[in-house]
Amino acid sequence: MVKRQAEAIKIDLQQFAVENAEQLEAFRMRFISKKSVVGELFGLMKDVAPESRKEFGMIVNEVKQAADNRFKELIEQLENTKGQTGEMLIDLTLPPVPNELGTIHPLSLVRNRIIEIFERMGFNVSEGPEIEDDWHNFTALNFPENHPAREMQDTFFIEKNPDIALRTHTSSVQVRVMENEKPPIRTLSPGRVYRNEAISARAHCFFHQVEGLYIDENVSFADLKQTLYHFAKELFGPETKVRFRPSFFPFTEPSAEMDISCDIDNPKGCQLCGGSKNICKGTGWVEIGGAGMVDPNVLENSGIDSEKYTGFAFGMGIERITMLKFQIRDLRLFSENDVRFLRQFTSANL
Ligand code: DAH
């Protein structure tokens, strides 16, 4: 009796066709669910004489298996036809949905442009870790034990003794390059740096620098000046002048701060401040970075013979240069991800 029922159900299963989700659900109700015909057969089990149970079980399980397989088959069929009918529903005359194209961040634009200029002078690009040890961030760079930059208020320490910190400048990469390479070295190291500063329009707890390093025999201060002069003219225009003011950094000797001229006397208005003079404060010069001849101690700390080799180094703030280039007044805009700001650089030409 059960055998005949089972065969009848199997035939029904095979003949059941579905064209949509409702019909699929109807199949599930009729053949798969607890209250389905197959479920009912299972329910009869308890009334079957013990000696026939085994055979009964086998027959019912077979039907169940057949129902499951057919169910899977129908799901697959439905998926496939969905694809076909879906394609037919596309209206080819509708305008396309526009691709949301992003724009290159202004800091990346300027960084790439800086790299481009120095690459043409034979500099390669090197990178170092943002989490740095005391040796590479301070000690190898000739910072004395009690230098204020090491203090908690300037540096984000991750661990003390041994000290591990978020790098405070990209000068740490100089040391890493010198430790691993032999002169001649000409390298540019762009990257993010961190300082414990209150966030304002002019300062942030993270910003970007680009470091330059040139080590070879007979590298002189004249080479440093000419290199940076060429860079400034390339980036800010051929009329740009450069001024070096004596300064101090532990890792360079002598050290200088580098200013570029602004267009203060231009009757049409300076390209940096538009005539307001609030960037150069009426002096006609704006600072863009520090530089100097690499201190012999730094060369020796990094495994380079200071009797044979000399070199220069420089470091510049990418935010600062970008603000000057695009007349941006608030450094916080760079990290707020406001697309109204970022979109303005879509066709920026550097
Ligand atoms: N590391 C310095 C800073 O963060 C910038 C700097 C100055 C880098 C002079 C140099 C350099 O390589 O020679 O303020």
Side-chain angles (χ1 to χ4, degrees), residues 46-67:
K46 58 183 189 316
D47 305 326
V48 176
E51 64 275 13
S52 313
R53 270 197 196 151
K54 193 171 167 204
E55 198 198 345
F56 185 93
M58 266 168 56
I59 294 168
V60 181
N61 269 325
E62 226 174 78
V63 185
K64 183 178 160 20
Q65 195 60 51

Side-chain angles (χ1 to χ4, degrees), residues 218-261:
N218 302 319
V219 177
S220 71
F221 203 92
D223 297 320
L224 163 61
K225 285 175 82 171
Q226 190 55 40
T227 304
L228 290 176
Y229 183 43
H230 173 75
F231 161 73
K233 287 205 293 188
E234 283 289 301
L235 189 64
F236 290 102
E239 303 303 320
T240 313
K241 290 190 276 297
V242 167
R243 171 175 94 167
F244 290 86
R245 283 175 292 112
S247 183
F248 173 81
F249 299 101
F251 34 91
T252 43
E253 182 57 39
S255 305
E257 241 141 318
M258 175 181 159
D259 297 344
I260 57 163
S261 62

Side-chain angles (χ1 to χ4, degrees), residues 168-171 174 195 209 211-212 249 251-252 256 289-292 313-316:
T168 58
H169 53 183
T170 43
S171 302
Q174 287 185 21
R195 285 186 204 173
Q209 290 187 331
E211 192 81 13
F249 299 101
F251 34 91
T252 43
F314 57 88
M316 297 182 279

Side-chain angles (χ1 to χ4, degrees), residues 84 101 187-188 192 194 198 242 248 267 288 304 331:
Q84 284 164 16
L101 268 192
T187 194
L188 203 66
R192 184 173 292 176
Y194 302 83
V242 167
F248 173 81
I288 63 162
I304 288 186
L331 185 128

Side-chain angles (χ1 to χ4, degrees), residues 274-339:
S276 67
K277 299 188 186 174
N278 61 359
I279 293 188
C280 72
K281 303 197 181 72
T283 63
W285 297 95
V286 284
E287 186 194 321
I288 63 162
M293 299 306 291
V294 180
D295 193 294
N297 287 344
V298 175
L299 293 175
E300 293 296 334
N301 285 341
S302 313
I304 288 186
D305 183 354
S306 64
E307 296 292 331
K308 188 165 176 205
Y309 295 105
T310 52
F312 67 74
F314 57 88
M316 297 182 279
I318 299 183
E319 273 81 352
R320 170 122 186 106
I321 292 177
T322 310
M323 289 169 91
L324 291 173
K325 235 3 246 174
F326 295 122
Q327 300 182 26
I328 297 164
R329 298 278 173 263
D330 191 330
L331 185 128
R332 289 169 291 199
L333 285 165
F334 291 128
S335 49
E336 282 170 351
N337 273 345
D338 186 337
V339 290

